[in-house]
Amino acid sequence: MWRQKPTYYAPDYRYNNRSQLLVTTHYDPLLDVLDDLFGKDSVWFTEKKEDGNTELFPLTDFKGLNKLSSIRKSYKNGQFGAVPEIYC
């Protein structure tokens, strides 16, 4: 389902400069198809701080993105902060 929804909506929003589409997800495989659906400037991360506040920051804050072989792998390795905490 995740492959169908963004491509269904994205063309209308991507090429109309008066529109926005906000998508939130925990599905990190979308980072593998970033350039196909959205630009790198469309990706933002959140990180919960110890005081309970949440920090929001864009992927484009990080240098060397074009040199990475996999943005998703770098994310999972904690290169961008906002490391997912998975509890089993």
Side-chain angles (χ1 to χ4, degrees):
M1 183 170 147
W2 70 268
R3 285 185 187 260
Q4 295 171 348
K5 291 297 182 185
T7 55
Y8 176 77
Y9 292 110
D12 293 336
Y13 289 92
R14 189 174 188 178
Y15 300 111
N16 181 345
N17 62 5
R18 300 195 70 193
S19 299
Q20 288 184 327
L21 175 64
L22 178 65
V23 177
T24 62
T25 184
H26 291 269
Y27 191 67
D28 64 333
L30 283 176
L31 293 172
D32 287 334
V33 293
L34 249 186
D35 292 326
D36 295 339
L37 296 176
F38 307 104
K40 290 179 182 76
D41 60 339
S42 298
V43 177
W44 289 69
F45 297 108
T46 60
E47 188 166 60
K48 185 70 90 173
K49 298 297 181 184
E50 286 186 24
D51 64 2
N53 289 318
T54 301
E55 182 182 355
L56 179 69
F57 51 94
L59 175 62
T60 54
D61 275 1
F62 299 91
K63 304 219 184 288
L65 293 176
N66 293 329
K67 296 177 183 176
L68 297 174
S69 61
S70 170
I71 289 178
R72 179 182 177 205
K73 188 175 184 181
S74 298
Y75 164 68
K76 291 184 101 165
N77 288 332
Q79 187 169 337
F80 308 123
V83 179
E85 293 183 22
I86 301 171
Y87 301 100
C88 297

